[in-house]
Amino acid sequence: MSVAADIKASTFDRGPGASGNGDDAVLELDDVTKTYPALPPVVALSSVSFRVRRGELVAIVGPSGSGKSTLLHVMGTLERPTSGAVRITGLHVAGLDDRALSVVRASRIGFVFQQFFLAEHQSALDNVADGLLYAGVAARERRALAARALQQVGLANRQAFKPTKLSGGERQRVAIARALIGQPAIVLADEPTGNLDSTNGAAIFALLQQLHAAGTTIVVITHDHQLAARLPRQIEMLDGRIVTDTDQFSRSAGGPASNHRVAPSEFGIGPQAGRAG
């Protein structure tokens, strides 16, 4: 059996969001740390625990150096944690080899980045279709699904346009369509409005809200506290730790996350060298 088929048979056929915990979690981090070798070692994440359930719209917010970028990489399986457990739809990903991780990323996670990362020589349709390039989907089906995804983000009439002929807001919509094409369990959006003017930024924010209302699970990583405050749940980071999580479900259920705001003095947090952002 192939790696992709083995992963699907062992976990994904349980249904998107199945975690075995009874709360429909699609992403779970349990006591995750990430340390980079140096003198002294750089502690980027320290004892990070939370879960994201199907259909949530969550902001992970913090200043530069707070650890949110490292957290994005760990959540997206782009980096392995030093310790702790990371689960995507119930699958423990920390111990998977690189090939298996690529299958997880292709089938379960959608990425949206501030820089768009679109191929300028390709049309919007082909850029979106490339989101399924490593998922074993035939070219004709990829293009059909890409056309549907572009329609979903309001760009049905821009399929043939190359990125150089699109506005910044339109390019980000193409990137969002690419993230959505495989119907991932979760979309990770890194500063999705960071390279846009206020008008286009507001339009992209509204699009994310619409996608959430339609059932897409989205985590937005941002330094913008005003933007984060407009989302239903905020996870605030400082010096590699979660200092606030407004997750009311976990608070009432006694889960790993809570609505408690941790004072920096409780664990000696303050401006310090040797932190990764």
Side-chain angles (χ1 to χ4, degrees):
M1 181 181 292
S2 69
V3 173
D6 184 54
I7 290 176
K8 182 175 289 187
S10 64
T11 301
F12 296 153
D13 284 349
R14 293 163 54 192
S19 68
N21 291 331
D23 64 355
D24 209 21
V26 297
L27 170 68
E28 300 168 274
L29 276 73
D30 185 8
D31 202 24
V32 165
T33 66
K34 180 65 178 180
T35 304
Y36 296 100
L39 290 175
V42 177
V43 181
L45 298 175
S46 179
S47 300
V48 172
S49 297
F50 65 90
R51 63 187 52 161
V52 176
R53 290 168 295 280
R54 172 187 294 281
E56 280 200 279
L57 175 56
V58 182
I60 294 177
V61 62
S64 177
S66 64
K68 62 184 186 299
S69 296
T70 303
L71 181 58
L72 167 68
H73 293 162
V74 170
M75 291 189 299
T77 74
L78 299 172
E79 290 190 53
R80 300 176 187 273
T82 303
S83 64
V86 178
R87 292 182 288 272
I88 306 292
T89 60
L91 178 66
H92 289 264
V93 298
L96 297 179
D97 62 24
D98 290 343
R99 184 182 177 194
L101 285 176
S102 70
V103 174
V104 172
R105 286 192 292 270
S107 57
R108 295 287 98 178
I109 305 170
F111 292 95
V112 179
F113 295 102
Q114 179 179 353
Q115 298 89 351
F116 316 134
F117 292 124
L118 302 177
E120 293 189 357
H121 64 283
Q122 292 189 162
S123 67
L125 184 72
D126 287 334
N127 267 286
V128 175
D130 280 354
L132 289 175
L133 194 59
Y134 302 104
V137 180
R140 179 177 296 182
E141 185 178 357
R142 290 202 307 269
R143 290 175 65 84
L145 292 171
R148 185 182 307 170
L150 284 169
Q151 183 176 18
Q152 189 176 1
V153 301
L155 289 181
N157 62 341
R158 292 288 192 270
Q159 294 182 21
F161 284 60
K162 294 181 179 179
T164 53
K165 300 297 183 182
L166 299 174
S167 70
E170 288 173 331
R171 279 179 279 172
Q172 191 61 293
R173 287 175 181 267
V174 173
I176 292 172
R178 182 179 58 196
L180 294 173
I181 187 173
Q183 297 183 320
I186 190 167
V187 172
L188 304 178
D190 182 24
E191 300 283 6
T193 64
N195 273 346
L196 305 176
D197 59 40
S198 59
T199 299
N200 280 309
I204 292 299
F205 182 81
L207 174 60
L208 293 175
Q209 289 180 309
Q210 293 167 11
L211 295 170
H212 166 243
T216 304
T217 306
I218 304 172
V219 174
V220 177
I221 295 85
T222 182
H223 69 279
D224 188 338
H225 283 265
Q226 290 185 335
L227 184 150
R230 297 170 63 189
L231 302 187
R233 176 182 173 192
Q234 302 90 43
I235 297 173
E236 184 177 358
M237 296 197 67
L238 183 65
D239 291 340
R241 294 177 182 257
I242 293 176
V243 294
T244 305
D245 186 346
T246 62
D247 181 10
Q248 296 296 327
F249 180 93
S250 288
R251 184 187 185 193
S252 62
S258 75
N259 198 33
H260 174 55
R261 176 177 287 274
V262 181
S265 60
E266 290 188 37
F267 41 69
I269 278 184
Q272 55 185 281
R275 288 286 179 185

